[in-house]
Amino acid sequence: MKKSRVFVATGVALLATSVLAACGASKSSDSTAPKAYGYVYTSDPETLDYIVSGKQSTKAVTSNGIDGLFTNDKYGNLTPAVAEDWSVSQDGLTYTYKIRKGVKWFTSDGEEYAEVTAKDFVNGLKHAADKKSEALYLAQDSVKGLSDYLSGASADFSTVGIKAVDDYTLQYTLNQAEPFWNSKLVYSIFWPLNEEFETSKGADFAKSTDPTSLLYNGPFLLKALTAKSSVEFAKNEQYWDKDNVHLDTITLAYYDGSDQESLERNFTSGAYSYARLFPTSSNYSKVEEDYKDNIYYTQPGSGIAGLGVNIDRQNYNYTSKTTDAEKTSTKKALLNKDFRQALNFALDRSTYSAQVNGKDGAVRAVRNLFVKPDFVSAGEKTFGDLVADKMTAYGDEWKGVSFADGQDGLFDADKAKAEFAKAKKALEAEGVTFPIHLDVPMDQTSKNFIARMQSFKQSIENVLGTENVIIDLQQMTSDELLNITYYAGSAAAEDWDLSGAVGWNPDFEDPSTYLDILKTTNSTQTKTYMGYDDPNNAAASQVGLKEYDKLVDEAGAETSNLNVRYEKYAAAQAWLTDSSLFIPTMMANGAAPVISRVVPFTSAYAQAGDKGADIYFKYIELQDKPVTKKEYDQAREKWLKEKKESNEKVQKELANHVK
């Protein structure tokens, strides 16, 4: 649904290993350690074109096969991949990368095709521009001349600020300094693409179930992809950094959420290397008994899941509304900020999260902001602290609200009723009749999605009263749900009032990676989150989204002082929070109970991009026996200390790259 990293949030990141990586846990020697990794995936890709697609379903299949200039190490540092070294000019506008010699393209059969050169990166960005990549917003305002090329003001791609100086030297020229620029390059729109191969394949390039339709330069080769069945990878034995690849094979089985217990069963049988547990499942007491020393909670992830608000619904194929008056009343209600705030305050997020994590782990996964509250910091204040400081200007209802993770700072029945009372008075004056009927689509095969939507319904109706609001759950197949949410071709196909099938994983290390996607100019995302795809949409103007655009643009223009930049983005997040146009619910990944044979903290760690532990398996090591909670806790303590030291060292070394 990431459109860039927008994803369908019905399964709440079941694919994610979310285990990170470190030393410290007992593991098998390298010669005897298990080499076959197994787990699940939850959505088939529409395409294997990693440059054009921004969907997580594509990234889960291609990120292990393609490497860009950088990847992430286990401490969250950017580390060179295809780039061997880099430098940036004093003004921060020109980045020069030395391409590693000897990095090759291979077919899915492991046959060498060509060497990876700087020209492949130029061709990759040209392909993104010509094919209108879903992730263009990451590049079009950053790379000099790209916006003109996209608009047609220039027909010559050589005027765009990317150049192959020679086979092993790549240069980007930016419009303005972006201190976080390199972190963008971990995202797939900036990865290389061999022009000769792309041309030879023609319309068959990157076909969704054909591994031979791509070339690979990464740690694994995609061997097979069968829709709604399995994805298979094999180690690339000729990979330039194969010593850091500890797995021989990866097999991901399709999982639709209908049989939660299957994850643990397949882990116990040895088919899966990892299993996300569901404390509300029927067999959990037995699992808890069998694995009492092995269950631990993963670290909080940076992804956000929540409820989208459709402010301009056009289709009613999935609805309980029986009259035009009901449709009109719902639309007017959703355009009323007090009504949306009433929904926001009426949602008991702890109970909502408990449907996935159980009562004991429920609060761990609660998130109250679109941007992860500790994603960045300004001095001693986290981003969440900065937002809290600005919220009081929006009204007394926001005083004292904590936006930190791991607690429900928003649920307040009294506030919900007060906001609803204001909304009802105004709406009745507009001729709105109550109760307001809200259609919420629901995947009938995903048990935890059903449970969460039912919890949402109960929470809203209990607080606001069914005489005022009725949540109409629309049960449908997985494909039907995807077609009216995740894969909807236009805003007209977004057939819902509120959608719990939305979520986002950040692409790079700056608040803009979250907040930019909701600008009115980002039609790919605005249709998924808010049901419109025209920047001049009347409903978008009515709810004030042009003011949001202005705040985000002002923040993006601040590049000289990161603390000021983060303050400005906090102002944009404060506007978004007050608007309640997106209702945050919980983390999309992390903070989950698991059992695992993955050696704790051996995998890549990243808050953003396409090379994190959720989909990138390069560094992962396995052990014979399930990890104990004690092993995990000891490894985590060691990792946190090492991470702090490593991050500080890398920060000090950054100055050496300025030329």
Side-chain angles (χ1 to χ4, degrees), residues 454-500:
Q454 289 175 335
S455 175
F456 172 70
K457 173 182 172 67
Q458 184 177 31
S459 183
I460 299 300
E461 291 180 354
N462 283 350
V463 172
L464 299 180
T466 53
E467 71 278 12
N468 292 313
V469 180
I470 294 177
I471 304 298
D472 293 314
L473 299 178
Q474 305 297 324
Q475 294 200 41
M476 60 193 71
T477 67
S478 298
D479 287 343
E480 286 175 319
L481 177 71
L482 290 172
N483 288 337
I484 65 167
T485 57
Y486 191 37
Y487 290 146
S490 66
E494 300 283 351
D495 194 358
W496 45 272
D497 294 318
L498 298 174
S499 170

Side-chain angles (χ1 to χ4, degrees), residues 370-391:
F370 190 54
V371 179
K372 186 172 183 277
D374 60 354
F375 192 64
V376 296
S377 296
E380 297 298 317
K381 289 190 174 184
T382 66
F383 187 78
D385 294 332
L386 299 177
V387 174
D389 289 345
K390 297 181 183 302
M391 287 305 301

Side-chain angles (χ1 to χ4, degrees), residues 278-542:
F278 297 94
T280 56
S281 62
S282 60
N283 73 331
Y284 187 71
S285 59
K286 181 66 166 59
V287 174
E288 204 169 21
E289 179 182 340
D290 293 343
Y291 290 102
K292 59 180 180 296
D293 296 327
N294 305 101
I295 299 172
Y296 63 88
Y297 282 82
T298 58
Q299 301 302 299
S302 52
I304 170 71
L307 291 151
V309 178
N310 194 334
I311 58 174
D312 193 20
R313 185 176 180 181
Q314 300 171 52
N315 261 313
Y316 294 88
N317 294 317
Y318 299 89
T319 186
S320 296
K321 298 178 180 65
T322 58
T323 66
D324 288 341
E326 286 182 346
K327 296 173 185 178
T328 300
S329 291
T330 296
K331 182 170 286 191
K332 287 183 177 180
L334 290 177
L335 289 172
N336 182 287
K337 184 174 76 169
D338 292 324
F339 180 82
R340 299 192 303 269
Q341 285 187 355
L343 298 176
N344 205 354
F345 286 127
L347 173 56
D348 182 343
R349 288 163 178 78
S350 296
T351 301
Y352 183 94
S353 174
Q355 309 310 309
V356 185
N357 281 353
K359 184 177 179 181
D360 292 341
V363 76
R364 291 173 182 261
V366 171
R367 176 151 292 156
N368 302 282
L369 284 180
F370 190 54
V371 179
K372 186 172 183 277
D374 60 354
F375 192 64
V376 296
S377 296
E380 297 298 317
K381 289 190 174 184
T382 66
F383 187 78
D385 294 332
L386 299 177
V387 174
D389 289 345
K390 297 181 183 302
M391 287 305 301
T392 54
Y394 284 98
D396 290 344
E397 65 269 26
W398 298 109
K399 288 183 178 178
V401 173
S402 172
F403 296 104
D405 277 348
Q407 54 85 43
D408 190 347
L410 294 173
F411 176 53
D412 190 312
D414 291 336
K415 288 181 180 179
K417 291 173 181 176
E419 295 306 314
F420 182 80
K422 289 191 288 183
K424 188 170 186 178
K425 182 178 180 180
L427 290 169
E428 285 181 333
E430 295 180 40
V432 168
T433 57
F434 291 82
I436 301 298
H437 284 264
L438 298 170
D439 293 315
V440 179
M442 187 169 66
D443 181 350
Q444 63 192 23
T445 61
S446 176
K447 288 184 178 179
N448 86 64
F449 189 52
I450 292 171
R452 281 183 286 125
M453 294 305 103
Q454 289 175 335
S455 175
F456 172 70
K457 173 182 172 67
Q458 184 177 31
S459 183
I460 299 300
E461 291 180 354
N462 283 350
V463 172
L464 299 180
T466 53
E467 71 278 12
N468 292 313
V469 180
I470 294 177
I471 304 298
D472 293 314
L473 299 178
Q474 305 297 324
Q475 294 200 41
M476 60 193 71
T477 67
S478 298
D479 287 343
E480 286 175 319
L481 177 71
L482 290 172
N483 288 337
I484 65 167
T485 57
Y486 191 37
Y487 290 146
S490 66
E494 300 283 351
D495 194 358
W496 45 272
D497 294 318
L498 298 174
S499 170
V502 294
W504 185 260
N505 284 325
D507 305 321
F508 54 95
E509 295 173 4
D510 185 71
S512 59
T513 186
Y514 291 92
L515 299 171
D516 278 0
I517 70 164
L518 298 182
K519 289 173 59 178
T520 59
T521 51
N522 248 327
S523 60
T524 304
Q525 280 79 39
T526 59
K527 73 176 175 62
T528 302
Y529 281 84
M530 299 179 195
Y532 75 95
D533 52 13
D534 178 359
N536 297 312
N537 179 275
S541 297
Q542 185 174 335

Side-chain angles (χ1 to χ4, degrees), residues 70-80 186 509 604-607 611 619 642-651 653:
F70 292 97
T71 186
N72 295 102
D73 68 14
K74 69 182 183 181
Y75 302 119
N77 301 312
L78 288 176
T79 186
V186 185
E509 295 173 4
Y605 171 72
Q607 286 203 110
K611 298 294 182 180
Y619 301 104
E642 293 174 348
K643 180 179 184 299
K644 184 175 184 295
E645 294 171 351
S646 178
N647 294 165
E648 289 174 350
K649 180 181 178 182
V650 169
Q651 285 300 313
E653 291 174 349

